[in-house]
Amino acid sequence: TVVIDAIRSNSQSVSGNKATSWPWASSLDEYSRSTCKRSLWRYTVNVRTGAVSKDRLTDTQSYFGVVNPAVSAQKHRFVYTAIGSLGSDVAPPQGIAKFDCDNKSTDVWMPEEYEFCGEPMYADRKMEEGQVAAEDDGYILSVLFNGKTEESEMIVLRANNISAGPVSRIPLGVGVPHGLFGCFSSAEETNWGAEEIERRAKLALKMESRGNMWNEVKSDFSGLGLRLDDMEEYFGDMM
């Protein structure tokens, strides 16, 4: 048996045309008419017969579902998502929810009406030697956008007590695009210094500036839309 948990989109709920320029929605009504209804479902596949059954775990408007990476592609109990503030009605991602797939209970934290959380990211809690962590014995990180100040914060919640709210809020001093994807890593390869961060930022800007050239076919072009001399300049020792 294969079990798959997924956020399912229902495009039939979209009644308006989705705009192609920013801002593509300036009111809740515009957002709800141009955005799909999303809910968390569990699909169970019988690999012998090919039969598939489905079960809606929650009808809450859900986005960016994640699990503890330690149980990724394995049996898990908890799914963390960003959720709208209007229950089953379509609304932008705002709060953080933890769904218990065993008993279908939900633990939710909702910020102020002008604050909006992005994707939840699971981070392990450092354990003492010999300790075994429970599936939810860690932290949930999310970038929260403040609509009043137009600046963002990194918030930290205990994964086993989401409704208690953030245990830490770290102002970033800038506005991070709402809905930006991310992940948490404690690996040494992400411990970059200021020089390395600046180099990678320059690479990202270079790639963005060449975005309209990606479909050009020239002998000195890479698949990234960068010329070979650009690759040497920005990738450096990674090549």
Side-chain angles (χ1 to χ4, degrees):
T1 301
V2 176
V3 178
I4 303 169
D5 292 337
I7 292 178
R8 175 179 170 184
S9 297
N10 179 9
S11 60
Q12 294 179 344
S13 64
V14 177
S15 59
N17 296 322
K18 187 166 184 177
T20 57
S21 60
W22 177 261
W24 55 269
S26 57
S27 68
L28 179 58
D29 180 61
E30 286 184 7
Y31 185 91
S32 62
R33 286 189 289 107
S34 59
T35 303
C36 294
K37 171 73 178 95
R38 296 173 171 88
S39 49
L40 181 63
W41 289 71
R42 168 163 287 186
Y43 295 84
T44 303
V45 183
N46 186 319
V47 294
R48 292 184 177 179
T49 65
V52 179
S53 61
K54 59 184 180 181
D55 179 29
R56 187 170 61 194
L57 298 179
T58 176
D59 196 33
T60 301
Q61 179 78 2
S62 304
Y63 307 82
F64 309 127
V66 298
V67 299
N68 180 340
V71 293
S72 179
Q74 303 176 50
K75 184 178 180 180
H76 57 269
R77 179 175 179 178
F78 305 112
V79 178
Y80 305 90
T81 75
I83 61 170
S85 62
L86 302 178
S88 61
D89 291 341
V90 175
Q94 186 165 8
I96 299 294
K98 170 189 176 183
F99 296 106
D100 187 324
C101 299
D102 287 357
N103 59 31
K104 295 188 179 182
S105 64
T106 307
D107 192 24
V108 174
W109 176 73
M110 193 65 64
E112 299 293 337
E113 61 180 9
Y114 51 84
E115 296 177 326
F116 299 86
C117 294
E119 178 185 22
M121 298 166 278
Y122 190 94
D124 291 327
R125 184 173 71 86
K126 189 174 182 179
M127 309 298 292
E128 298 293 335
E129 186 176 352
Q131 281 188 311
V132 179
E135 184 182 329
D136 61 349
D137 193 3
Y139 300 96
I140 294 296
L141 315 180
S142 185
V143 177
L144 178 146
F145 181 76
N146 186 313
K148 284 187 175 180
T149 64
E150 297 189 354
E151 293 186 351
S152 300
E153 301 173 65
M154 175 67 75
I155 62 170
V156 183
L157 304 96
R158 295 189 186 277
N160 57 12
N161 193 4
I162 296 294
S163 56
V167 295
S168 179
R169 301 179 68 141
I170 307 166
L172 301 180
V174 296
V176 177
H178 187 50
L180 183 70
F181 287 100
C183 65
F184 174 82
S185 175
S186 58
E188 292 183 358
E189 64 183 21
T190 59
N191 293 333
W192 302 323
E195 184 177 335
E196 179 65 10
I197 292 174
E198 182 179 4
R199 185 170 74 89
R200 290 172 181 265
K202 288 171 64 178
L203 172 61
L205 290 173
K206 190 78 170 180
M207 294 172 65
E208 183 178 358
S209 68
R210 297 293 180 87
N212 62 342
M213 298 181 179
W214 281 30
N215 290 328
E216 290 189 20
V217 179
K218 294 184 179 180
S219 60
D220 62 345
F221 253 62
S222 73
L224 293 174
L226 297 175
R227 299 182 188 278
L228 297 182
D229 56 349
D230 295 328
M231 298 284 285
E232 177 66 27
E233 176 184 357
Y234 290 100
F235 279 104
D237 60 339
M238 289 189 289
M239 296 184 66

